Amino acid sequence: MQNQRLREKYRSDAEWRERKLASQRERRRNMSPEERERVNARQREYLRNHPEQRRETVRRYYERHPEQAELKRERAREKRRWMRENDPEAYRAWLDHRNMLARERRNAKKAARAAGKEST
């Protein structure tokens, strides 16, 4: 009920969202460490059970922190290079698996497109 009144008060959705985020930030700033840990644990549990939401959260994090995204890519390149040089069989198996997953995605896309054409 109160949310409804607040939504009517702030017509613009963007303005509503910005105020909501600002109040959340303010609330977090004033939290005790124990309460913050409880909130963080609840959020971690939620993200553990909602993988699509976790992916979105991670994507937004790396959008906000491009230097971290670059470090992550660099570590992945380094790991692949190490694996290619020190364990070629494992590297080959990983590459085959990655290619198989990509092939499955492409085939699923084609099937979805074909199903869409059949329905029209």
Side-chain angles (χ1 to χ4, degrees):
M1 189 62 180
Q2 185 183 9
N3 279 348
Q4 183 69 31
R5 259 186 265 124
L6 286 173
R7 269 200 201 93
E8 289 166 9
K9 187 174 176 186
Y10 307 116
R11 293 264 184 247
S12 153
D13 279 350
E15 186 181 337
W16 162 255
R17 180 158 176 67
E18 187 48 47
R19 285 179 187 273
K20 183 177 172 187
L21 288 174
S23 76
Q24 279 178 349
R25 280 193 299 269
E26 188 60 32
R27 205 166 46 243
R28 282 210 167 215
R29 200 172 304 133
N30 296 331
M31 268 184 197
S32 69
E34 298 81 24
E35 191 180 1
R36 184 176 296 122
E37 183 50 43
R38 246 192 343 269
V39 168
N40 289 344
R42 196 170 58 227
Q43 181 67 8
R44 274 195 306 274
E45 184 60 31
Y46 173 81
L47 290 175
R48 189 175 299 125
N49 297 326
H50 295 79
E52 67 291 338
Q53 187 65 41
R54 183 176 63 236
R55 280 191 291 273
E56 183 63 22
T57 303
V58 169
R59 186 186 63 75
R60 277 199 314 265
Y61 171 81
Y62 284 119
E63 276 178 1
R64 282 197 317 270
H65 303 281
E67 69 287 350
Q68 290 298 323
E70 184 52 43
L71 282 173
K72 181 182 181 188
R73 282 191 293 273
E74 184 57 41
R75 283 193 301 269
R77 275 193 293 269
E78 197 57 35
K79 185 175 179 182
R80 285 194 303 270
R81 188 183 63 71
W82 183 92
M83 194 162 56
R84 192 170 52 239
E85 292 171 359
N86 296 304
D87 196 351
E89 301 85 33
Y91 178 73
R92 192 68 233 170
W94 169 79
L95 207 55
D96 291 344
H97 180 69
R98 196 181 78 165
N99 291 338
M100 183 262 310
L101 292 177
R103 194 174 317 110
E104 283 178 358
R105 277 195 304 274
R106 283 194 305 271
N107 291 341
K109 249 190 218 176
K110 285 178 190 171
R113 253 194 317 260
K117 286 181 182 174
E118 290 170 10
S119 65
T120 56

